[in-house]
Each structure stands twice: as structure tokens, then as C-alpha cells.
Amino acid sequence: MQVPARQIPGEPNDPVKALRRQRDRFVALAFAAADLLLEVDDAGVVTFAAGASQRLYGRDTDRLIGTRLDELLADGDRPVAAALLHSIQHGGRFVPVTLRLARTDAQAVTFGGCRLPDRPGTSFVALSASVPAASAAALGAPASVLDGDDFAAAATQRLLETDADPPYQLTLVAVDELEELQSRLTDEVGQGLAATIERYLVSSAPGIELAGRLAGERFGVLHREALDETRLRDGIETIAGSIDPEGKGVRLRTSTMALDKSGMNGGDAARALIYCLNQFADSETDAFSVASLRDGLDRALSGTVARVSHLRSTVADGAFELVFQPIVDLRTRSVHHVEALSRFAADKSPAGTVAFAEAVRLIADFDLAVCERVIAMVGGSASAAAGTAAPPPPIAVNLSGRSLESRLFRGRLMALLDGQDAALTGRLLFEVTESAVITRAEEVNAAIQVLRSRGFRVCLDDFGAGANSFHYLRSFVVDFVKIDGAFGRAALADPRDRSLLQAILAFCRETGVATIGEMVEDETQAHRLERLGLDYAQGYLFGKPSPDLAQWAPPAGRRRTWKRRGAIESWR
């Protein structure tokens, strides 16, 4: 016996009309949450459109059909859309995010989508112009998150706001395995995954003011209201898991701290915060567990302040030593000049101390202290050696690029040089280091040119060691370029690296810049570098760092004078 279908009151008896009524309900449901509906095939082409296309794009829905979805979105947001559509290729829906339209005003919209199990090859996308104000403001900038330096500056500013009540909170986020997952995806989807996670960090909670990418898998989020870390973790892990359902996805670890000064003065608290951000960004994946962040961050902050105080005392008291390593002419093996290197008592890593000074913005004070020490030493040696045949060799002093970015440091350095004898210019050189990224290259180059105009020669240190070396070589007009030792060794072993080094040497010759090879340890290496065209070299083959400056003076009876060989000055 067949049971008749139950008649819904108000529903038409005609099956066709009933089906249309049901369709209208679903359309109304969709439009209750969105302004424009799009059907997109696997090639990313719009096959159906309905809704407020005139409002969003100024054209009818019929004119959207056949258009690629990419063309409807702003350039920077296209990878995000690609990653989200990829995440539902086997069905389901993705977490709505905020994207920008391809319009002159880059209007922000909420972008959501799903894929029905009985419609393979087709995705449904909903666009809504109703975007939370915080999310829309976040999209006003070209990128959804700040880079590490800008984020650190913003966090420091909040830290120093004494009237912040409640205080700002900083959540550090480690997205483990993100880079490994990206490496298994196409470039577009991999970039889109990272951009989607960044966008989610900005918009996952109403109280988030800004987010920053501190390193490849490390992020920071600044917020006033309490952050639902469980929701944040679940959302990002879901995004990654849906994009790569066959893989192991990512693992999110978070820790939150209040940005209060905890009784510290503002300068020390700011330096400590920057250092902690750098430590978090640079640490290995397993080195910063959730427990160590949550339980140890306050102690790390306190320890950093103690280290800052110790370093400040070291600089103020001059509690460091200088050793000197020679740079020799590769053809004559005579000492051209020496480099002054800093050593600290009971410190086995002077480079680490210098990096710490850069991280906590004390490097300018330290660089100035070294300059004062070397100037006193050079001046005193010159006076003692007056009338003798062998004055000591010139000394090169390291200057951090971060120091030269400081207007206060530049003024103090020039004032220090103003009171010296003019002959100092022949006995003092400067090496600009790039261990800290130089962001204001124009200001640094202007400072270099002031030094050169006063007769001081300047060297660009460690070329090839950092990602910005070529940018610095193009931006800075210098007298010497020091080739990083690892880069030089690689050039001797690999034809491609050798071709690159030869091109750099040719550029330096054409522009009148002398070249120095670092970390030269045997005669074979020295001979091959000379054949490649390097002018000078430094390394254990020619001498280890020594506190005895006189050790590198020429033999008695040989007088040093300047002689120009082409564009290169050398001692004879």
C-alpha cells in the first residue's frame, strides 16, 4: 500500500512549482548571507553567476560568465582563493576569509565557498560586501600581516603606552611543518596557504589589531581582548588539513603574554621584548615548546634585561679587548691593513655578543666605544713612531649597518673624527657589516659618502653571506668589498658559483672597488683566489688575530708609503 506524500500547507501541488519553490528557498538562504553567488569549474572559470554583480563589479551577471575567478580578485589575494578552492576539491566547505576585489578601491568582501558531493568539478563561491570593520581596515594595506621588524616596532610602541588598560597582549604562534607542507604543493597553492593562514590570523578574533610574520613558520599577534587559542589552532590546522588531506598537516603552538613593563624602565623593557621576539623567530622548531614559552617567557625577559645591563656596563667601562688580524696583498703578501676584532672576557662567542647588541639596539654605543679605542691607539702609535721607519699599519673598524642608520650615532661619530689630526684618514678604515638587515640603505650610503669625502676608505663586509648582499653592493659606493669566506670556498668548488664570483669581481674592477677574500687557510686557496682576480686576502694563512698591533708592522728599514695601482691604493 502506497502512502501519499504529506502535503505541506501553502505548498503547491504541482511538482515543478514545488521544486522551484524549494530552489527559491535555497537561493534566499544564500543571499541572506551573501551578495553574489558564483559557480566555478576546476579551471577557475565562472560558469554561473547570480546576485548583485552590478553593485560589486558594475556589470551584469551574464558578463561574469566565462571570466576567470582570478580576474575578479585583487592580485595579492588570488593565491588565497586558489588555496581555498584547492582545499575543497574533494567536497566540503572552507572557512570564510576577507579578500579584496579587483577594483580601483579594492573593496573588501567576505569570501566563502563549498563543493557538493554530487557536483564533481564544480565549486560554489559566495561573496558578501558586509565585512567587519577591523578586517576591512586590515586589508587597507598591501599585505595582511607586517614583516618582523615592523611588527616588533608596533609591539614596542604598545608596550610603552602607559595608559593601556587593559594592557595589550602578545600571542606568539608557531605553525610547525608549514614550510614542509608548502614544499609539497604547487607554488601558487603553497603561497596561497601561507597567505590564507596570515589572513586568518588577522581576522580570527575581533580584538586582534595586527599580526606579523617573524620568520618562516613563526608569527606574532597583538590584541587587547582575550584570544581563543583553541579556535585559532583548530582553524589553521583545518585550513592546512583540507589543502593537503593526505599529508600530516601542520601543528600549531601558541603562548600569550601581557605587554606590561613589569617594573622595568621603558628602554630596557623595549630592548628585552625585541630580543625575545628575535629569539622566538630564530629558534629551532623543537626548541620553543608551548611549555617553555608559557612558563619561561617571563624569566627569559628578566634574563634579557640582566644581559642588557651587563652589556651596557661593558660598553661604559670599556671592558673589552681588541685583537688585530692582517689583510695582505695577494701578489706581494705584504700587510695592507689590519682589522680590529672585539673580544669579551669569558665570552666564547664575540659574534654572538655583537649580534645581541644589534638585537637590543645597543650596537651604536658599542661601535662608538670601539672607534674611540682605535682612534686613541692609532693616534698614540703614530706619535710614538714619529720619525721611525715603520709606523703601524692602518686599522679597519667594524660599523654595524644598524649603527649607521642612527642619526644620533652618525652625529657622534663625526664629532669624534672632527677632533683628530688629518693624517688619521690614512690610518683608519671602516667596514660596514650586514649582520643586521639594513632597511634605510639611502641614509647609510649617505653616511658612507660623508666618511669617504673626509678621506676615510670604507669596505662592505661579508659580501655573499646574506640575502641582501647584491642590493647593498648596488646601493653603497665603497672602496673595498670583502667576499664572505664560505662564498669564496664555494666558488672554488663549483663552476656556477665561480662564474657568479667572477662577474662580481668584474663589476668591482670596472667601478674601481678593490676586493678582499676572507678565511684563506692554505696556499692553494690563496693562489686560486689570486688567479680569479682578488686583490687582497685575510685568514689564518697570513696570521691569526693578535692583540699585538706591532706584530703586523713592516720590518725595520722599510718605510710605508701610499702608491696607487690603477684604482687600488696599497702600502709599499
Side-chain angles (χ1 to χ4, degrees), residues 319-494:
F320 59 90
E321 300 297 330
L322 294 180
V323 294
F324 306 92
Q325 187 174 27
I327 289 87
V328 305
D329 187 315
L330 271 173
R331 279 148 287 196
T332 66
R333 301 301 173 90
S334 61
V335 175
H336 180 270
H337 65 278
V338 298
E339 179 184 5
L341 302 168
S342 304
R343 296 292 184 264
F344 305 90
D347 187 347
K348 297 181 180 180
S349 176
T353 299
V354 171
F356 176 80
E358 288 179 323
V360 298
R361 304 300 194 269
L362 278 177
I363 189 62
D365 292 336
F366 179 70
D367 281 351
L368 197 69
V370 173
C371 287
E372 291 173 343
R373 176 85 59 90
V374 170
I375 288 173
M377 185 177 296
V378 170
S381 299
S383 299
T388 68
I395 301 177
V397 179
N398 289 307
L399 296 180
S400 168
R402 184 155 285 170
S403 295
L404 287 173
E405 288 181 314
S406 166
R407 182 182 303 174
L408 177 61
F409 172 82
R410 297 195 298 265
R412 293 169 67 189
L413 176 62
M414 296 307 167
L416 180 63
L417 297 175
D418 283 342
Q420 305 302 318
D421 181 76
L424 182 67
T425 57
R427 303 193 299 271
L428 182 64
L429 299 83
F430 294 101
E431 287 193 15
V432 179
T433 66
E434 55 167 294
S435 51
V437 175
I438 300 172
T439 58
R440 296 193 291 276
E442 290 186 4
E443 292 182 32
V444 172
N445 185 56
I448 290 172
Q449 301 322 307
V450 171
L451 290 171
R452 296 180 73 239
S453 70
R454 298 180 63 155
F456 296 100
R457 288 153 297 147
V458 179
C459 174
L460 177 60
D461 195 14
D462 292 327
F463 180 87
N468 294 313
S469 294
F470 289 95
H471 171 63
Y472 297 153
L473 181 60
R474 187 180 63 187
S475 301
F476 304 151
V477 180
V478 295
D479 303 284
F480 303 90
V481 168
K482 185 178 283 188
I483 306 298
D484 176 68
F487 180 38
R489 286 196 299 270
L492 297 180
D494 182 86

Side-chain angles (χ1 to χ4, degrees), residues 99-231:
L99 300 182
R100 294 165 297 182
L101 300 181
R103 300 185 355 177
T104 55
D105 61 355
Q107 179 181 347
V109 297
T110 300
F111 182 84
C114 68
R115 192 155 183 155
L116 303 179
D118 59 346
R119 292 292 303 276
T122 300
S123 298
F124 297 90
V125 174
L127 305 177
S128 174
S130 300
V131 177
S135 298
L139 287 174
S144 57
V145 300
L146 302 174
D147 63 25
D149 286 343
D150 287 344
F151 180 80
T156 302
Q157 179 182 357
R158 267 61 170 191
L159 172 68
L160 299 179
E161 290 179 354
T162 56
D163 58 346
D165 185 24
Y168 285 93
Q169 297 182 68
L170 170 67
T171 296
L172 300 175
V173 181
V175 188
D176 297 335
E177 310 300 334
L178 172 59
E179 292 182 330
E180 193 277 332
L181 172 55
Q182 286 181 280
S183 69
R184 291 188 281 107
L185 302 170
T186 65
D187 289 345
E188 182 182 40
V189 174
Q191 294 170 8
L193 169 61
T196 303
I197 289 175
E198 293 174 356
R199 192 63 49 79
Y200 188 75
L201 281 171
V202 171
S203 59
S204 59
I208 292 178
E209 291 199 5
L210 54 89
R213 191 167 192 171
L214 308 178
E217 298 180 342
R218 302 301 171 91
F219 302 85
V221 179
L222 203 65
H223 50 99
R224 277 285 187 91
E225 302 175 16
L227 189 65
D228 188 340
E229 295 181 24
T230 300
R231 177 186 174 190

Side-chain angles (χ1 to χ4, degrees), residues 298-314:
D298 288 339
R299 291 193 297 273
L301 200 63
S302 176
T304 300
V305 173
R307 192 176 177 190
V308 166
S309 299
H310 176 72
L311 180 58
R312 182 180 285 118
S313 298
T314 297

